Amino acid sequence: MRIAVVYRSKTGFTKKYAEWLAPELSADVFEASRCSVEKLTDYDMIIYGGGLYGGGINGVKMITRDLDKLQGKKIIVFATGASPVRKEVIEEIRNRNFYVEQQEQIPFFYLRGGFDYSKLNLKDKMMMVVLKIYLKRKKELTADDRGMLAAYENPVDFTRKEELEELIGYIKSAVDGSESL
């Protein structure tokens, strides 16, 4: 089975996971801007990863927009973000990024990444300043809010290779049962 790991990463957290994942699966790895959907049709399984920006998975439309061209392929998506891994976080991301029928077709995984304000481009920095102002004006801050505010000054990196275990297990079970692909 030919596997492609495709990612879009602005600050490096998603790239790190993609580069850890690819050798575990003997997969080819591509940065999304250097890969086309047409190229992906040569693969049996496509794993797409993107960082979260405003709740959206960076670049996931590369996959969701062209699902018809990828029929018969096993597609898996993962997202990375600074938020702790919690069921409600995962559900919110899934609902914001996939239609109901896509949710049924595309297994989704969330991996904790990190936040490094210094690595953002100017546009993203401006959006994050708006978030910072919003958080500072809140009357009561949650632990997540306080952590986010602290991360502006002190970058955080929650990436751990072990975070991939559930995703790799899922993929390997899909590969083992994929004689029909």
Side-chain angles (χ1 to χ4, degrees):
M1 173 176 285
R2 293 194 67 210
I3 302 172
V5 176
V6 183
Y7 69 92
R8 179 154 294 153
S9 185
K10 289 187 179 187
T11 56
F13 302 108
T14 305
K15 179 181 181 182
K16 189 186 297 189
Y17 279 123
E19 291 179 345
W20 283 338
L21 185 60
E24 292 287 329
L25 304 170
S26 301
D28 295 327
V29 64
F30 303 100
E31 201 286 321
S33 66
R34 297 187 176 156
C35 185
S36 67
V37 170
E38 289 71 30
K39 181 176 191 127
L40 295 177
T41 61
D42 293 337
Y43 291 87
D44 303 302
M45 180 180 284
I46 298 120
I47 303 157
Y48 183 87
L52 290 177
Y53 295 92
I57 301 170
N58 190 13
V60 76
K61 287 188 174 150
M62 172 189 194
I63 301 297
T64 58
R65 177 186 57 228
D66 290 316
L67 273 177
D68 59 322
K69 294 178 184 173
L70 300 172
Q71 283 187 348
K73 312 294 181 192
K74 182 70 176 167
I75 298 169
I76 299 166
V77 172
F78 71 90
T80 63
S83 295
V85 178
R86 290 192 296 261
K87 184 179 180 181
E88 63 271 14
V89 170
I90 295 167
E91 285 302 312
E92 181 179 343
I93 297 165
R94 183 182 286 122
N95 291 334
R96 279 185 162 197
N97 289 276
F98 305 104
Y99 298 119
V100 173
E101 56 274 2
Q102 292 172 337
Q103 291 181 29
E104 294 168 3
Q105 291 177 299
I106 304 171
F108 172 71
F109 294 82
Y110 176 72
L111 307 171
R112 196 156 189 211
F115 179 72
D116 189 341
Y117 181 79
S118 70
K119 291 184 179 181
L120 297 175
N121 63 34
L122 183 59
K123 178 184 170 189
D124 292 331
K125 282 183 177 180
M126 289 172 45
M127 289 189 333
M128 293 309 294
V129 166
V130 171
L131 175 63
K132 186 176 184 180
I133 291 167
Y134 166 76
L135 290 175
K136 284 187 168 188
R137 288 183 176 172
K138 284 179 75 175
K139 290 183 187 205
E140 289 188 41
L141 296 175
T142 66
D144 289 350
D145 295 337
R146 288 189 296 278
M148 187 70 214
L149 285 170
Y152 280 86
E153 304 299 323
N154 301 302
V156 292
D157 182 350
F158 299 108
T159 59
R160 303 288 177 271
K161 204 169 187 178
E162 302 80 46
E163 292 282 317
L164 290 169
E165 288 175 4
E166 182 182 357
L167 175 57
I168 290 170
Y170 178 87
I171 294 165
K172 288 185 175 181
S173 69
V175 169
D176 291 344
S178 67
E179 286 72 36
S180 62
L181 281 179

